[in-house]
Amino acid sequence: MRELIDQPVSMQEIAKKSGIGYSLFRRLFKEKMNCAPVQYFQELKLHKAIELLTTTIPVKEIAYRLDFESPAYFSARFKK
């Protein structure tokens, strides 16, 4: 997931890259990490955003670079 953080990718694609079906991937991931894969991926993106916000990159560009649907959605998720 860390390698794909700046790409538009679904959890189904990540499961496929792992060589297992999505249902099994989700269940095993949740057992190991105590959260859903999509939730974990969002957290990774937010941590990457924090890192990028310390640079001179505009917030709008960070939102699009990390594949948030809009800068407003990114801001709302970041505030949360």
Side-chain angles (χ1 to χ4, degrees):
M1 286 185 187
R2 289 185 197 328
E3 294 171 6
L4 302 171
I5 200 163
D6 60 350
Q7 299 175 25
V9 64
S10 70
M11 292 301 107
Q12 289 81 0
E13 291 173 287
I14 292 174
K16 189 175 182 179
K17 287 180 187 273
S18 300
I20 58 178
Y22 176 69
S23 295
L24 179 59
F25 170 74
R26 187 177 191 289
R27 184 169 45 86
L28 293 174
F29 192 96
K30 196 164 187 175
E31 286 174 7
K32 199 73 151 164
M33 302 300 289
N34 295 318
C35 67
V38 72
Q39 184 181 11
Y40 180 79
F41 197 51
Q42 285 290 319
E43 288 296 318
L44 283 178
K45 286 183 176 203
L46 290 173
H47 286 285
K48 181 67 175 181
I50 291 168
E51 181 183 313
L52 292 172
L53 286 168
T54 63
T55 67
T56 58
I57 299 170
V59 172
K60 185 177 185 178
E61 186 179 328
I62 293 170
Y64 289 125
R65 183 183 290 189
L66 295 176
D67 198 40
F68 284 90
E69 58 191 55
S70 71
Y73 178 72
F74 166 71
S75 293
R77 290 288 301 158
F78 191 80
K79 286 176 186 175
K80 207 174 202 184

